Amino acid sequence: MAESFTPKPYTMANVLHLKIALRYIKPPIWRRVEVPDTLTFWEFHFVLQILFDWQNSHLFEFRQGRGSINEFLTGSPAVLPGDEDNMPEWQLDPRQVALDEILRKPKDKVAYVYDFGDYWEHDIVVEKVLPLAEGHPTPAVRCLAGKRAAPPEDLGGFPGYEQLLEVLAEKAAGKRKRLPSEYAGLGKFDPEEFPLADYNHDLCILRQIVAAEDEMLTNYVQHFAANPPPPRPAFDMEALLAAMTASLNALPQPPPPPKKPKR
C-alpha cells in the first residue's frame, strides 16, 4: 500500500507572493496576493473567498496533482456525523496544515476547487518567497494586483459564465431588452470590474471573518452532536428482490401468439 502524503513544516516564517487564476476562462481572471506562509489552508480558503467574491456556500478542496494517496489533499472539514466516511482517509484537516508545509519555493503549485457543482478551479503558483527577519511582525494579507471580476455563483461553471457574457453583450448592443430568467438580477454585472481597495478592506478583517466562521462551525457540530439524525434503515436485499418479483408477477400476462392458419 502506498504511503499517504505527509507535510513537512519549515521553522522560519516567509512572505509568499502568489498568483491565482481561474482555469479555462479567457481573458483570464486572476489575482496576485501577498500572504504569510504561517496561514493555514483553512484561513487561506477565506482569502480566496474574498478575492473572488465567493459566498462560502459550497464545499472546497486544495490539492496537488489529483489529490491521490501520495499527494496533498485537504478541504472542507467534516461537520455532520458520518462526513468522514465520505472523505479519503488521507485527506488532511485544513485547520491543521499551514501554507509553508506545501508552498515552499517559487513555482510550487496547488489547485483550489470551490463548488463541486460549478467546479470553479483556481491555479495557485508561488512567484516569490521573501524571508522575514527574525522578530519581524507577521505582515497582513494584501492583494497586490488582479484583473476582471469573478463569475457570479451557481451559473453552471465556466460554460454558464460564457453564456452570461454573451447575453450581456447582446443586451448592451440592443439585441435584447432583458436577460433570461436564469440571469435575473445580473443586468449590472461588470465582468471587467476589479475593486482592489474593497478586497484589501475585507482582508484587513480576515481574522474576524475566520473567527466568526470557526464559531459557527463549532455551534453546528455541537448542535448535530446533541441532536443526531435518526439512523438510516438497513438495506435489505432480499426484501428488494421480493418486491421486484411481486411487481413483475402483478403485470398482465401477454396474450398468446396467434395460431398459424392451416393450409
Side-chain angles (χ1 to χ4, degrees):
M1 181 177 177
E3 293 184 1
S4 59
F5 178 86
T6 303
K8 298 178 181 179
Y10 273 156
T11 55
M12 60 183 246
N14 299 289
V15 174
L16 302 177
H17 281 201
L18 306 175
K19 185 174 182 181
I20 307 111
L22 271 172
R23 195 176 293 181
Y24 305 125
I25 294 179
K26 292 183 179 180
I29 298 172
W30 61 272
R31 309 286 186 260
R32 179 170 288 116
V33 64
E34 179 181 84
V35 300
D37 63 1
T38 51
L39 282 186
T40 65
F41 276 90
W42 174 244
E43 294 166 320
F44 188 46
H45 157 69
F46 292 103
V47 172
L48 297 174
Q49 291 287 300
I50 291 170
L51 293 178
F52 288 87
D53 292 301
W54 301 130
Q55 303 301 313
N56 194 37
S57 55
H58 298 282
L59 300 177
F60 72 92
E61 74 175 15
F62 291 94
R63 67 168 187 257
Q64 287 181 319
R66 296 184 178 180
S68 58
I69 190 169
N70 58 348
E71 296 173 310
F72 171 61
L73 175 67
T74 187
S76 299
V79 177
L80 300 177
D83 277 356
E84 297 91 343
D85 298 336
N86 299 318
M87 298 177 178
E89 293 181 2
W90 60 90
Q91 180 168 321
L92 303 172
D93 189 325
R95 297 165 293 187
Q96 299 176 2
V97 187
L99 298 185
D100 70 347
E101 299 178 58
I102 306 299
L103 302 175
R104 311 168 68 127
K105 61 185 185 301
K107 298 185 179 180
D108 278 353
K109 298 178 180 180
V110 69
Y112 172 70
V113 179
Y114 173 64
D115 183 353
F116 295 157
D118 282 5
Y119 214 78
W120 299 112
E121 292 185 88
H122 308 63
D123 292 315
I124 302 168
V125 60
V126 178
E127 293 185 319
K128 296 180 182 178
V129 179
L130 306 175
L132 281 177
E134 186 175 352
H136 192 284
T138 302
V141 179
R142 290 192 304 144
C143 184
L144 304 175
K147 288 288 185 181
R148 309 185 72 227
E153 293 214 23
D154 301 321
L155 278 181
F158 75 90
Y161 172 67
E162 290 179 346
Q163 185 176 352
L164 170 63
L165 296 185
E166 289 177 6
V167 298
L168 287 173
E170 291 171 359
K171 187 173 184 296
K175 295 181 180 180
R176 64 166 65 237
K177 292 184 178 180
R178 62 187 66 183
L179 301 184
S181 59
E182 61 265 32
Y183 301 123
L186 296 176
K188 295 184 178 180
F189 174 73
D190 181 3
E192 300 304 320
E193 184 180 22
F194 176 67
L196 177 62
D198 291 346
Y199 294 146
N200 279 322
H201 174 271
D202 290 345
L203 289 171
C204 286
I205 57 171
L206 175 65
R207 182 172 296 180
Q208 293 93 315
I209 291 173
V210 175
E213 292 290 340
D214 285 342
E215 182 180 3
M216 183 173 64
L217 188 63
T218 298
N219 293 337
Y220 203 62
V221 171
Q222 290 175 347
H223 170 77
F224 279 98
N227 304 276
R232 294 181 180 179
F235 181 72
D236 191 336
M237 177 61 77
E238 292 185 2
L240 176 62
L241 292 175
M244 294 175 63
T245 302
S247 298
L248 291 173
N249 291 337
L251 294 174
Q253 297 298 317
K259 295 182 179 180
K260 293 182 179 181
K262 294 183 180 179
R263 294 183 178 180

